[in-house]
Amino acid sequence: MPAKTDMKTELALLIALAVLWGASYTFIKIGVETIPPVTLIAARTLIAGGILLALIRWRGLTLPRDTASWRRFAFQACLNSVVPFTLIASAERSLDAGLATILNATSPIFTFLLTALITRHEPVTMRKLFGVGAGIAGICLIVGTQALGGLGHQLWAQLAVVAATVCYAGAAIFGRGFKGLDPMIPAAGSMLCGAAILVPLSLVFDRPWALAPSTASILALLVLSVFSTALAFCIYFRLIHTLGSVGTTSQAYLRVPIGVGIGAVFLGESLGPTAWWGMALVVAGVAAMTLPVRKPVFAR
């Protein structure tokens, strides 16, 4: 009975993570309307890191003080926030939130490819290979038609989201190395390292004191920082330990309809027919790779 309860808890957390991250694309889209991408992400990581640090101290925990741990936090920050967050925010200046959600949902595919080629800590199966093929075909349907249409800025924005997805895949694998730590510790450490990298860049290039962001962008930034970052990353690092890297990224196939739906309701976005086919292939591919296989029960 306890095992079933634990699995229900993990499933609930996985769905919660899908909702938090599915909504983040709409918040980013609203945020970058009046806040430059680097400044938006610098503020996102700084606010989230501050919240997590306060929670850690409230719980009586302490962050590691050794250099090796902070080097690992900094590397995780580059893979999980600094590079992918900034790429996605930059891309969403010209890309719909729903389309960014679909492309970014391919993280389990790249996680599997990196696992199969480098770490090899999870088995390669025919079903997973089918998932890879379907997912890549979905990306080609979405990105390839835009390239043929000559929309260069859209193409680069889409490739930026795909590059961010590869970073997330690497982060999911590297995040397994924090096993044994309370999930809040690597979440806070990586957010604080991300802020330490991005805040100076924001001050130099964006001069945030001279900006005049809208109320909508500021509210989007706050919700993005508190819920889609601080809370989401606590859940993420817990699931990395309980479900594994590929299992945790399985929230991506749940994130697609959530992200697309939120973008349609709040931003009035819509997908073209090719994008719908691409989304269907991406969801099928991710589901094939991440849904658990039922073992046959033999009568005795």
Side-chain angles (χ1 to χ4, degrees), residues 35-53:
I35 303 174
V38 172
T39 296
L40 179 76
I41 302 308
R44 177 184 182 181
T45 53
L46 182 62
I47 294 169
I51 291 170
L52 290 168
L53 182 60

Side-chain angles (χ1 to χ4, degrees), residues 11 127 287-288 290-298:
L11 180 59
R127 194 176 74 159
T290 55
L291 288 176
V293 179
R294 288 189 177 183
K295 295 181 180 180
V297 177
F298 298 98

Side-chain angles (χ1 to χ4, degrees), residues 63-86:
L63 290 170
R65 296 184 178 179
D66 58 290
T67 305
S69 292
W70 282 97
R71 276 201 299 263
R72 292 167 62 206
F73 290 155
F75 187 67
Q76 181 73 16
C78 290
L79 289 176
N80 226 14
S81 57
V82 175
V83 176
F85 282 3
T86 306

